[in-house]
Every structure is written in structure tokens, then in C-alpha cells.
Amino acid sequence: MELHIVIQGRKDLANQLYQQLRDSIESGRLAAGVQLPPSRLLAAQLGLSRKTISDTYSRLTYENFLVGKIGSGTFVNTLSAQPQRSSIRSDLASQKVVRKWQDISLPLRHPTLEGTLRCDFIGGATAKTQFPHDDWRRCTQYALRQMSQARGFYSQPEGVAPLRHAIAGHIAFARGVKCSAEDVVVCNGAQQALDLIARVLIEPGCTVAMEDPGYTPARLLFAAQGANVVSVPVDEEGIIVDGIPENAHVIYVTPSHQMPLGMPMSVARREALLEKASRIGAIIIEDDYDSEFRYEGRPTDSLQSMDRFGVVAYVGTFSKTLLPELRLGYAVLPSAILEAVIKAKQLTDWHTSTLPQWALAKFISEGLLNKHIRRCHGIYAGRRERILARLAGDLSPWLEAIPCTAGFHMAVMFKVPINLRLLVELARKVEIGLYPLTGFYHSAPTRDGLMLGFGAIETLDIDPALDRLRDVLEQIAWQSCTAR
Amino acid sequence: MELHIVIQGRKDLANQLYQQLRDSIESGRLAAGVQLPPSRLLAAQLGLSRKTISDTYSRLTYENFLVGKIGSGTFVNTLSAQPQRSSIRSDLASQKVVRKWQDISLPLRHPTLEGTLRCDFIGGATAKTQFPHDDWRRCTQYALRQMSQARGFYSQPEGVAPLRHAIAGHIAFARGVKCSAEDVVVCNGAQQALDLIARVLIEPGCTVAMEDPGYTPARLLFAAQGANVVSVPVDEEGIIVDGIPENAHVIYVTPSHQMPLGMPMSVARREALLEKASRIGAIIIEDDYDSEFRYEGRPTDSLQSMDRFGVVAYVGTFSKTLLPELRLGYAVLPSAILEAVIKAKQLTDWHTSTLPQWALAKFISEGLLNKHIRRCHGIYAGRRERILARLAGDLSPWLEAIPCTAGFHMAVMFKVPINLRLLVELARKVEIGLYPLTGFYHSAPTRDGLMLGFGAIETLDIDPALDRLRDVLEQIAWQSCTAR
């Protein structure tokens, strides 16, 4: 690879070279310690004599910009002055940014990435210490071998065949989803599945209905695509079907484990939803993000398996069963929109990286996913029981859980008025991460609550953490008493 | 993980279970060979007695739907009738698909994936046999270790810091791009970089100007996003700047190696383009897809490094220097649109999978990318010289190359009228893959030509392949003579 230097015309060659190298070093473009090409190679590249190059190197060495190391070459001196690159760019471009993207109020950093809290009740984080790194390494080795036999070209936009088969088998078995491998499109997590489905269904001004409270990143995505997102309230049975506008094109729901409140959608509500969608000609996106973990009661059918009308697009993910940073998810699509979604996938990023696809296909087909889910199921069940026991015990004056049967978070509501901001702040001081439900509401919430995730927190930390939570609650109550 | 069975009410339990298991097997949802859960576990899951389960298993075994294997469990019988799942879905949903996605005329299969041609002049395929699998495996091992130390949560939307630093260093050194790690956003290949930039800049009805002929997947992407894509002709210096409409929001160009014709954009044209973009307030997307491979003349500056106005978004990829199926690329963005693009990335798929990001960061920082580029450079240079020698020799009555200095494809134009379809067909019969330029034109091409890629074809295969091409050309000429 070449060092980028541009020589113009045939005059003043040595000085042109000198100035460019010096500018590059001073601006930091050539960082301290970087090796310069041998004079012979640079001479050939630039069409200059070798003497011109070595003279220039000598001059820069004399001026302390470069340093020669005998036997190994010429390097940018670590002692040379290297001011920060100063940007001369104007803000011209900012006028052109479509405002809806600029104005999205999305935290660019995840809270857990900012620091480390000993006891973090964040949602969406998996039991990291349980991840079977050795099995995954073995499957990745297998994937590397598969890759070395591939053709050095692009793969299929819909995903590699063994993974689509493995996914179809997994969800048919575990979730009763009616599909074959041909209906499955592999995506970079559930978020991309939502993006692709919305892209082929939504035009600016289209109405999208979704649960309120609901999954905020989905709302932001649909809104950024130009949709008119209508918030539909939920009750203890799930989305209130009568609240869905008749002109909705797309209805986004989380029937197995309502995000964030947690209750499953009742069978009657599911049937009403399917009937309404088919009547008004809407597509339902069923986001089944963590239903592999189910703890009590009998399982309910997925909307997709109840669908007689071909209106359900089913979205799943391995972010909850494995790791979010793998970015592996999928959509099971009604035949009518399948081809359009595959085209959207191809134009968006051609296909998902093949290495993790092959690794996951192997991981599922060897039964390792089932094994991992079983193990995590036991762990999450234990954590969940601990939290429920405390909510039924010493925390019962303050908090109550919304009944839910699946996943690894639950919603708890305050029985008394509380200064939520103060609570979160005081809890953080004693190393407890708490996350209010507020961020999931579009309309004003009628009650305050918390999302208690139990993926990131270790089982043995739950009781001490809830002790401290109770102490903080008592402290706030005491202060507000004495203040009155 | 549970087998998905839904039991309703308290009546007729055994029969409900029997019917569902039988339906699942008959429909193929439970495939031949799949193991059923032990009766104890299924009983606990469904809240039924163990006897109900084992009686049902016995009945299905008697009917040959199941088969018991002593000591290992109960399995779906491979002999049971398993008709193909019949879809009952209507085409209701198809009415809802936004037509622009449905109607995209994009081949869902890549030509090379359909069969194997011994000598394939396809563009965009890398020298697969050269890929340093051992080095990549070692870097992937390193990446697995990094992953095992991560927090089991999402990563940053803009990419992991070591990779952004490595990319900034690489393109500053090799392409003179003025940037720091903070300006870099890691994407799933260049295609996603185009998608994200276009998303934050284009609203339906916006005008996008691009080269004609040009990179068709970019055109399809912009059009699918609702842009009014205006085709601007190119001459031997590149895009004709006066042809760019004054109302263009975005200008997409390939200055180092015009896609598909191959000539570099002249310095005068680059300056005129930058001046015009800043005057009309347009953003230029500079797609620098394969400029790491440069063979002759002095290098020219990238548009990004000449940009005094902050109007250039620079897009690069590792699909050409490494492998397309890795899906790793990047954008270097003017500060004014950087944050909007990072938000778009987050809402689109949160972030690129971390495993290949860590692996690539290691690969670059150890100098392995430079080493690989140097090796491939030598190989591509040899192949290119072979093709140019033949074009100057026995193929000169038929074909001439468009002068280009970089990349691993060249465009060749026919000096005589030719039946292109017949040529491609006859060549395919003798195991030569040829690809007309037609697909890259939006307006009608004035001359016929071929894109000759030399990434996929082995050096020693080039001469025999071109011998056969000459034979086919002679055969067609002879036939058209005798036909007259």
C-alpha cells in the first residue's frame, strides 16, 4: 500500500515532497511512530529519483520530524510537534440534514456503557457470565472453515441456508410458528427486521399504530421513516383493539411479553386484533423478543400461528437468548411481502456478515442453543422468584409487580407517590441502577413505575440490592415527612 | 426450551394433546427425527398428569407417528407421512407493499452463485485464494477473547473505538483522507454507508445526481428512498459538472475509478465539482471503493482531502481489500451530518456485529491489511498487464480498453458492432463469464462494452480465456458474414 503524496508538474519536486510530508506530520495525519516507505519504493511510486526522496528524509530527520532506526527504516518522530487536526469545515451541510433524523432524542450511549454499577436492573442485558464461550468459539472455528470454502463474493441477502433452516426448526418447535426456511430472512438483530418491514410498508404520512407504553426504539424508527405513529393504550389484556385507527397500515405489538409492562396479550384480544387487521388491511408486526423464557401458566399461541389471513410478520432475535452484540435476528414473513423485504435487505447492506451466520447455524443444529436457553431459564426463574418474594414481602408497602409470565424483566408500579428522579439518583449512589418506565410512554403515564431487568444482575446480588432499594425508599419517605 | 403445545380449558385434555402432536407431525412442523420432551417435563410444562402424556405418546407410537428408542427417548418417526406444509395465507398483504420496493428489478441471486464458470470476468470478486485465512483466524481468536470480556450488552452504534482508530490511520496514510477516529462510522459494507447517508439527507422528491453509467445498486437504493435520481453523463474526465441540476441535494460519484468505466476524475473536474456542490448546497458522496489498488501515474487527491467546504462524505469498504462477505465498510462524515448518521445507524440495526469489528481492528493494527494489499496489488497488476497486452495485440481488432489506473476491473469497448447477447451466451458455453456494461447505464449506451473484472479469474487462466473469447468473436463475425 502506498503513502498518499501528490506531486504536481515537474518543478520544485523536492520542496513539494518536503512540504507535504511536513504538513502531514504537523497535522497529525502521519502519526508519531508510523513508518515511512523505503526511499526506493516511494521514488518508484511518485516517479521521482531516489536521491530526492532520501535527501528529503534526511532534511526532515535533521529537523526532528523523522527519526531513522538503523536496520528497520524511517519513522515519524514521537517528539515532533503534533497539534490536534483542526477542522476547517463549515456547517453548510447541517442545513441539508433531514430534520427528523437530527432531532431524534435517542441517547447515543447506553447507560451501562458509561460506567459500572454493581447491581444493575437494566432491561435487555443477558446473563453474560453464562454465555458458553467455549461452544461459541468452536462454532466460530467451524464458521471460519466454511468461509474459507466460499467463493470470495457476496452471499445471499436472505441469509445462509443452514441458518434459515435452523431458525425455522427452532421457532416451529419452541414457538409453534408456522414457517419453512424459505419464509425466514436473517437480519442484524430484530431492529433491522423492524426497519426492513417498515421500509417496504410505510410511506411518509402512513399511519402506524403501536402500544403505549411501548418499545421506544421502534416508535423512533417508524417516525424517522415518516410514519404518523399513533399511540394506542394497553390494559391488562394488552393493546386496546378498538383504539387502533381504521387507517392504520402497520400495527406493532409485543404479545408474549408486553414491552415494557410485561403482561401477555389475552387470547380474545389476539383474535380481535387479527380480525381487525384483516378487516382494515393492516400488517401486524409481532415482536416476540424474549418469549423463549416462560415461567408459569400454559403457553399461548403466537399471533403468527393463529393468523388465518396472512397479515402477521413475526420478528425474533438472538439478542435475548445469546448476546445483543452478535446482532443476529430474523423475520418470518407472509409470502406477499417476503420478496420486497429481501430486496430491501439487499439494497440496505447486501446481507448479514456470513461468519456469525455460519457459527449460529452450527450452534443451533448441535442443540447448544436449547441447552443454553434451558440453563438461562433456570437462572432467570430463580432471580424472578427472588424479586417476586421481596415484592410480596418487605417491598409490598411501596411496590407491586404487573403479572407477567415470560422474559427477563418485569414492570413494578409504585403504590405511593414518589420523587422518581431523586430515587434513581440516590440509588445510583449506592451502586443500584434503576430505570423508570417513563421513557416508554408517549402519553403521560397515569402511574410511576420501574422496569426491573434481571439479566445483568447476579442472583446473589438481588437481595442486598433490594435491601438498599428499600433503605432509599424509606429515606425519601422520611425526608418528605420531615419536610412537611 | 419448551415444545410449543397449547391446551385450553380443563376438558378433553388427552385428546387435545393427541390432536396437536399429530397435526404438528403431519404438517411437518415437527420434523422426522426430532426428539420429544420426556413425559415428566411435558407434564410439568402443560400442567397435565404424566400418565396423560405417556398414554398419548403410546397411542402415537402405536400409530407409527412416534418411535421410542430405549434409553434415549421418544422421536418423530421418519416413516410417518409428512406432506409439505400448505400455506393458507392470502395475498392481502401484497396490496400494502410500497410499490417502489416490490418493483425493484434487482437480481436476487448473484451470477457467480448460480453455477461455477472456470474463467469468470465478474467485477467485485476478490482474489479468494490469496485471502490470509490463518491471519484472519488468529485475529478472530483475539476478537473472541475481547468479546468474552465485554458486558453482554449493546456496543456503540458508530463502531468499536480500536477499529475507528485503525480505519482513520489506514485512510490517512493510504488515501490522504483528513479525518480522526471520531469522524468514522463503521457500517455493514459501503452499501449501508450509502443507505445511512442517503437516509439523513434525502426526503421523497429530493433530487440526487449520479454518474451515467454508474453504480446501479446506489441508483436503486436512492430511488427506493423516494429520490428523483438524475443521470449525469460522464466523459473521459469524469462526471460533466454542468449536467448536475442546480436543485441536487446529493451528488454520488466514484472519482478514483469511475464505476464502471474506470477512468479517474481529472483534478480540474474535481475542483469544479466541489465548487458547484458548495454553491448549490449539495453533499457529495465520494465512493472510493477500490482505490487501494493503483498501478500507474501519480496518485490524485481524494475529493475529501480537497474539500474546503465540508461537503464531502467519504465512503470506503473492506469488500475489495478483503472479502465482500465480511460486510465491513465505513463512512467519514463532515461534522454537520455525523451525529444524524450515527442516530440512523442506531435505529437501523444498533451497530455492526462486534466480532468482525474486533478482528479487523487487530488485522489492521498488526499491519496485516497492508501486507495483504501489497500481495494482491502484485497479483492484480500482473493480471491487468496480461489483459492490456492482449487488448493491444490479437484482440485489438475487436476491443479497446478505457484507460484507468486503479482497481481490479476495467471497461473494454467494442470497435465493431456485436450481438452482445449471443456473445455472452456462446462465451458461457466455453466456460467464460462475460458481463456487458449495459446494466450500468440508465440512458441508452452509445457503444457496447464489457466490464472485465480480474479478481475472480486466476492469472494463468487469463490467456486461455482470452483465446476462447477471440475464437467466439471470430465465430460470430463469420456467422454474420455468411448470413449476409
Side-chain angles (χ1 to χ4, degrees):
Chain A
M1 199 188 49
E2 298 176 334
L3 172 63
H4 182 83
I5 297 278
V6 179
I7 301 290
Q8 283 165 344
R10 304 235 40 97
K11 282 189 191 164
D12 205 19
L13 300 174
N15 207 42
Q16 284 191 45
L17 179 63
Y18 168 81
Q19 275 303 339
Q20 286 200 43
L21 283 174
R22 186 176 160 158
D23 288 352
S24 300
I25 295 166
E26 287 191 319
S27 70
R29 210 197 92 203
L30 283 177
V34 161
Q35 182 173 14
L36 293 190
S39 56
R40 182 180 47 81
L41 286 187
L42 191 58
Q45 173 194 327
L46 300 176
L48 301 178
S49 77
R50 189 165 171 188
K51 185 169 179 306
T52 307
I53 310 290
S54 53
D55 284 355
T56 308
Y57 279 10
S58 299
R59 184 176 167 190
L60 287 163
T61 305
Y62 179 76
E63 294 172 348
N64 273 328
F65 287 105
L66 297 178
V67 61
K69 295 181 190 172
I70 291 165
S72 58
T74 306
F75 297 80
V76 177
N77 196 343
T78 48
L79 301 175
S80 61
Q82 297 218 359
Q84 199 58 32
R85 176 186 70 91
S86 70
S87 171
I88 49 158
R89 296 179 196 164
S90 76
D91 270 345
L92 182 78
S94 66
Q95 301 158 16
K96 291 281 149 189
V97 176
V98 173
R99 289 204 71 79
K100 65 189 178 201
W101 288 102
Q102 187 103 295
D103 296 345
I104 294 166
S105 62
L106 190 62
L108 283 181
R109 299 282 168 281
H110 272 287
T112 48
L113 290 162
E114 290 185 346
T116 37
L117 287 178
R118 172 132 174 75
C119 304
D120 212 326
F121 286 104
I122 193 161
T126 51
K128 180 61 201 296
T129 52
Q130 299 303 318
F131 187 75
H133 285 286
D134 289 341
D135 287 337
W136 189 255
R137 184 172 297 118
R138 204 163 43 73
C139 292
T140 302
Q141 306 280 19
Y142 167 84
L144 285 165
R145 287 195 295 278
Q146 288 302 115
M147 233 181 79
S148 71
Q149 288 157 23
R151 312 225 26 223
F153 208 54
Y154 294 91
S155 180
Q156 299 303 342
E158 64 272 23
V160 303
L163 180 56
R164 295 169 82 205
H165 275 98
I167 290 172
H170 170 71
I171 55 183
F173 186 90
R175 295 292 301 132
V177 171
K178 289 180 192 150
C179 70
S180 67
E182 287 67 40
D183 307 321
V184 175
V185 177
V186 178
C187 300
N188 308 331
Q191 188 73 18
Q192 191 183 43
L194 301 184
D195 181 43
L196 296 176
I197 294 167
R199 283 185 106 152
V200 307
L201 291 172
I202 294 175
E203 283 189 305
C206 272
T207 294
V208 173
M210 66 176 280
E211 301 156 331
D212 187 22
Y215 184 55
T216 306
R219 169 191 301 283
L220 293 171
L221 175 65
F222 301 145
Q225 291 182 342
N228 168 34
V229 185
V230 175
S231 300
V232 182
V234 298
D235 62 18
E236 63 279 3
E237 290 191 66
I239 194 165
I240 294 173
V241 174
D242 286 344
I244 298 169
E246 297 281 317
N247 66 347
H249 268 60
V250 174
I251 305 166
Y252 171 83
V253 287
T254 48
S256 297
H257 187 217
Q258 205 273 338
M259 182 74 187
L261 298 182
M263 68 285 179
M265 193 182 294
S266 70
V267 173
R269 206 56 74 80
R270 287 171 199 242
E271 278 166 0
L273 178 60
L274 285 166
E275 191 280 323
K276 175 148 188 175
S278 81
R279 182 170 58 74
I280 65 176
I283 295 287
I284 299 170
I285 302 178
E286 176 178 27
D287 189 347
D288 206 30
Y289 59 104
D290 65 359
S291 61
E292 280 93 345
F293 303 106
R294 219 186 47 76
Y295 308 101
E296 57 185 70
R298 290 176 183 160
T300 46
D301 272 318
S302 62
L303 274 176
Q304 198 269 359
S305 61
M306 295 169 69
D307 177 20
R308 301 182 306 282
F309 312 105
V311 293
V312 174
Y314 178 92
V315 170
T317 181
F318 296 97
S319 295
K320 310 301 179 223
T321 46
L322 284 169
L323 277 182
E325 58 183 309
L326 294 177
R327 309 309 308 125
L328 287 166
Y330 53 90
V332 178
L333 298 159
S335 57
I337 70 169
L338 178 64
E339 197 188 332
V341 171
I342 294 175
K343 283 178 177 174
K345 172 69 181 166
Q346 188 167 7
L347 283 183
T348 299
D349 63 2
W350 288 105
H351 59 79
T352 295
S353 183
T354 49
L355 187 74
Q357 286 195 67
W358 288 110
L360 179 58
K362 183 76 173 169
F363 192 82
I364 297 175
S365 70
E366 289 203 348
L368 297 169
L369 178 66
N370 281 354
K371 197 174 134 198
H372 179 60
I373 289 175
R374 270 199 304 273
R375 187 169 46 220
C376 290
H377 185 279
I379 289 162
Y380 294 148
R383 295 180 185 172
R384 180 173 175 273
E385 272 173 36
R386 230 21 254 145
I387 297 174
L388 288 174
R390 294 294 297 269
L391 289 170
D394 62 338
L395 290 171
S396 63
W398 314 96
L399 291 163
E400 62 184 339
I402 293 182
C404 73
T405 56
F408 49 92
H409 79 258
M410 65 176 84
V412 294
M413 310 306 278
F414 287 98
K415 293 179 170 178
V416 291
I418 190 89
N419 182 338
L420 253 186
R421 244 178 96 149
L422 182 64
L423 173 67
V424 170
E425 203 177 288
L426 293 177
R428 185 159 281 267
K429 281 188 187 158
V430 291
E431 296 273 308
I432 314 286
L434 292 180
Y435 302 88
L437 289 171
T438 331
F440 296 95
Y441 280 87
H442 193 236
S443 55
T446 49
R447 282 175 76 185
D448 281 330
L450 297 171
M451 179 191 231
L452 287 187
F454 41 93
I457 191 166
E458 292 297 322
T459 311
L460 289 176
D461 288 334
I462 288 179
D463 270 318
L466 294 180
D467 287 346
R468 281 184 248 167
L469 171 59
R470 188 200 50 218
D471 294 346
V472 171
L473 285 166
E474 283 171 354
Q475 184 190 340
I476 294 176
W478 172 251
Q479 282 175 349
S480 67
C481 277
T482 51
R484 236 180 266 146
Chain B
M1 199 188 50
E2 297 176 333
L3 172 63
H4 183 83
I5 297 277
V6 179
I7 301 289
Q8 283 164 341
R10 303 233 42 96
K11 281 189 192 164
D12 206 17
L13 301 173
N15 207 42
Q16 283 190 46
L17 178 65
Y18 169 81
Q19 275 304 338
Q20 285 199 44
L21 283 174
R22 184 176 163 159
D23 288 351
S24 300
I25 296 167
E26 287 190 319
S27 69
R29 211 197 91 201
L30 284 176
V34 162
Q35 183 173 12
L36 292 190
S39 55
R40 181 182 45 81
L41 286 186
L42 191 59
Q45 173 195 327
L46 299 176
L48 300 178
S49 77
R50 189 163 172 190
K51 184 168 180 303
T52 308
I53 310 290
S54 54
D55 284 354
T56 309
Y57 279 10
S58 299
R59 181 174 169 194
L60 287 163
T61 305
Y62 179 76
E63 294 172 346
N64 272 328
F65 287 103
L66 296 178
V67 60
K69 295 181 190 173
I70 290 162
S72 57
T74 306
F75 298 81
V76 177
N77 196 343
T78 47
L79 300 174
S80 62
Q82 296 218 356
Q84 199 58 34
R85 175 185 70 92
S86 71
S87 170
I88 49 157
R89 298 180 194 164
S90 76
D91 270 345
L92 182 78
S94 67
Q95 302 159 16
K96 291 281 147 190
V97 177
V98 173
R99 288 204 71 79
K100 63 189 179 203
W101 289 102
Q102 188 103 293
D103 295 346
I104 293 167
S105 62
L106 190 63
L108 283 181
R109 298 284 168 278
H110 273 289
T112 49
L113 289 163
E114 291 187 345
T116 37
L117 285 180
R118 174 135 173 70
C119 306
D120 212 323
F121 286 104
I122 194 161
T126 51
K128 179 62 198 301
T129 52
Q130 299 303 318
F131 187 75
H133 285 287
D134 289 342
D135 287 337
W136 188 255
R137 183 172 300 118
R138 204 163 43 75
C139 292
T140 302
Q141 306 280 18
Y142 166 84
L144 286 165
R145 286 194 296 278
Q146 288 302 114
M147 232 179 80
S148 70
Q149 288 155 24
R151 312 222 25 223
F153 207 54
Y154 295 90
S155 181
Q156 299 303 342
E158 64 272 23
V160 302
L163 181 56
R164 296 169 82 206
H165 275 99
I167 289 172
H170 170 71
I171 56 184
F173 186 92
R175 296 291 302 133
V177 171
K178 289 178 191 151
C179 70
S180 68
E182 286 68 41
D183 308 320
V184 175
V185 176
V186 178
C187 301
N188 308 330
Q191 188 74 17
Q192 192 185 42
L194 301 184
D195 181 42
L196 297 176
I197 295 167
R199 284 184 107 151
V200 306
L201 291 172
I202 294 174
E203 283 189 307
C206 272
T207 294
V208 173
M210 66 175 280
E211 301 158 330
D212 187 23
Y215 184 54
T216 307
R219 167 191 303 283
L220 294 171
L221 175 64
F222 301 145
Q225 291 182 340
N228 167 33
V229 185
V230 174
S231 301
V232 182
V234 296
D235 62 18
E236 63 278 4
E237 291 191 65
I239 195 167
I240 294 173
V241 174
D242 287 344
I244 297 170
E246 298 280 317
N247 66 346
H249 268 60
V250 174
I251 305 166
Y252 171 83
V253 287
T254 49
S256 298
H257 188 217
Q258 204 273 336
M259 183 74 189
L261 299 180
M263 67 285 178
M265 194 183 291
S266 71
V267 173
R269 207 54 75 79
R270 285 170 200 243
E271 279 166 357
L273 178 60
L274 285 168
E275 191 280 324
K276 176 150 187 173
S278 80
R279 182 169 59 72
I280 66 176
I283 294 286
I284 300 170
I285 301 178
E286 176 178 28
D287 189 347
D288 207 30
Y289 59 104
D290 66 357
S291 62
E292 281 94 345
F293 302 107
R294 220 186 46 76
Y295 308 101
E296 58 185 68
R298 291 177 182 157
T300 46
D301 272 317
S302 64
L303 274 177
Q304 196 270 359
S305 60
M306 296 169 69
D307 177 18
R308 300 182 306 282
F309 312 106
V311 293
V312 174
Y314 179 91
V315 171
T317 181
F318 296 96
S319 295
K320 309 301 179 221
T321 47
L322 284 169
L323 276 183
E325 60 184 306
L326 295 178
R327 309 312 305 126
L328 287 167
Y330 53 91
V332 178
L333 298 160
S335 57
I337 69 169
L338 178 64
E339 197 189 331
V341 170
I342 293 175
K343 283 177 176 174
K345 172 70 181 166
Q346 189 168 6
L347 283 183
T348 299
D349 63 5
W350 290 104
H351 61 78
T352 295
S353 182
T354 49
L355 187 73
Q357 286 195 68
W358 288 110
L360 180 57
K362 184 77 173 166
F363 193 81
I364 296 176
S365 69
E366 290 205 347
L368 297 168
L369 179 66
N370 281 354
K371 197 175 134 197
H372 179 60
I373 290 176
R374 272 200 302 276
R375 187 169 46 221
C376 289
H377 185 281
I379 289 162
Y380 293 148
R383 293 181 186 172
R384 179 172 175 272
E385 272 173 35
R386 233 16 258 146
I387 296 174
L388 288 175
R390 294 294 296 271
L391 288 171
D394 62 336
L395 290 172
S396 65
W398 314 98
L399 291 163
E400 61 185 340
I402 293 182
C404 74
T405 56
F408 49 90
H409 78 258
M410 65 176 82
V412 294
M413 309 306 278
F414 287 99
K415 292 178 169 180
V416 291
I418 189 86
N419 181 337
L420 254 185
R421 243 179 96 150
L422 182 63
L423 174 67
V424 170
E425 201 176 290
L426 292 177
R428 186 158 280 267
K429 281 190 185 158
V430 291
E431 294 273 308
I432 314 286
L434 293 180
Y435 301 89
L437 290 171
T438 331
F440 296 95
Y441 280 88
H442 193 236
S443 56
T446 49
R447 284 174 76 184
D448 280 331
L450 297 173
M451 178 190 234
L452 286 187
F454 41 93
I457 192 167
E458 291 297 323
T459 311
L460 289 176
D461 286 334
I462 288 180
D463 271 318
L466 294 179
D467 287 347
R468 280 184 249 168
L469 170 59
R470 189 200 51 219
D471 293 348
V472 172
L473 285 166
E474 283 172 354
Q475 186 190 339
I476 295 177
W478 173 252
Q479 283 175 349
S480 67
C481 275
T482 52
R484 239 178 265 146

